[in-house]
Amino acid sequence: MALVLGIETSCDDTSVALVNDQFFVLDCLAASQDSVHAPFGGVVPEIASRSHTEALMPLIVKLLEKNNIHWPDITGIAVTNRPGLIGSLIVGLVTGKALGMAHNKPLIGVHHLEGHLVAPFLSDSTHQGANFLDKGFVALVVSGGHTQLYHVRGFADYVLLGETRDDAAGEAFDKFAKMLGLPYPGGVQVDRLAQRGQAQGGTFPRSLLGSESFDFSFSGLKSSAYRHLQNLKAPLTEAEQADLCASYQEAIVSVLSEKLKQALIKTGCAHFVVTGGVSANSGLRRACQSLAQQLGRELALPKPAYCTDNGAMIALAGLLRLQRGDRSGLDLAPVPRASL
Ligand code: KG4
Ligand code: ZN
């Protein structure tokens, strides 16, 4: 049975996992860097790469020991090599290469977005993943760095339908959180407050960029929120903050679900996935579930732990690549910007 070690260090999460060819996650460990970046209100690249250097090898040793897995049990190593912060990518890459050489294991470089695309298909002891990877589906990837809508015709066969022209959806959440003075990372804080608030339609604009377009734009929403907050009397009560979060979240979610709806109608796909850090958002999950019902399509969302960056999604994407016969050499390079 194939068993792949996945290594993810493209941004600020150090994560490693073991995934087998049943798409089953034996275990996935992560060392969050949130607390070291929080004082700066965002990711500091040098601190991120240093933290990966400190955390990565001990995390791999812990993963193997905890699960009583030995190197002969492992069939390959998958590591994110694109896109991401260059220093962060290098740490994962040199570690993957060194382990591959030392233990004579095939190595495969993985595109981070391909990892997010397969995350809804991961199963573990508490969660059953989706099983329609070999069928065509629509995929919305929404994270801190990406907002992309794809028609996935099969694994490794991607047609980009549209993408953000400016900010990513997660960035839009994080920047709004920062404007409200909420702690970093802000997306989850906005989600938490929004659950207690009431969305007021019309507070914030929804940019659809025309009904024919599958592109997104969140910069107008961000500036409108900035102006709106400047005109309000500070400090805001928690109830006022909650209503603003609900309205802001609703503005993002309604645009995402409207574009998804159009993509499902256009492609005729019976299945769709929503993945990436923002797919953990409770409002987005609800909206997608009702879209699935409304259109009679099957939706798969990753388990919340596999929405944000994690080693399991990289292990699965790498496993599928290795099964196709793809291999990376020791010349595998980190690529900060790369499309899928
Ligand atoms: O996929 P991810 O971990 O990293 C990137 O590849 O970018 O996504 C992180 C993003 C951050 O912007 C974070 O604020 C957002 O996902 N996020 C959320 C929620 N949980 C994470 N945004 C809205 N609601 C959430 N519950
Ligand atoms: Zn990501």
Side-chain angles (χ1 to χ4, degrees), residues 16-35:
V16 295
L18 290 164
V19 173
N20 70 20
D21 48 13
Q22 304 300 301
F23 299 8
F24 186 86
V25 185
L26 266 69
D27 203 358
C28 179
L29 301 181
S32 166
Q33 300 182 5
D34 285 354
S35 61

Side-chain angles (χ1 to χ4, degrees), residues 112 116 143-145 170-171 173-174 187-188 191 276-278 280-281 307-309:
H112 183 79
H116 278 304
S143 72
E171 232 177 322
F173 271 105
D174 293 340
V188 65
D191 187 0
V278 180
N281 183 269
C307 288
T308 45
D309 293 349

Side-chain angles (χ1 to χ4, degrees), residues 40-43 143-147 164-191 193 204 217-230 236 241 244-245 248-249 252 278:
F40 305 95
V43 178
S143 72
H146 296 93
T147 303
T164 184
R165 294 184 186 171
D166 38 60
D167 291 348
E171 232 177 322
F173 271 105
D174 293 340
K175 286 178 178 169
F176 184 62
K178 207 167 180 175
M179 287 180 217
L180 285 176
L182 300 172
Y184 169 87
V188 65
Q189 308 289 342
V190 174
D191 187 0
L193 274 166
F204 299 118
S217 168
F218 297 108
S219 63
L221 170 67
K222 189 183 62 188
S223 351
S224 141
Y226 182 72
R227 283 193 303 274
H228 189 84
L229 288 177
Q230 280 199 319
L236 300 173
Q241 279 200 347
L244 283 170
C245 286
Y248 190 87
Q249 180 171 298
I252 295 179
V278 180

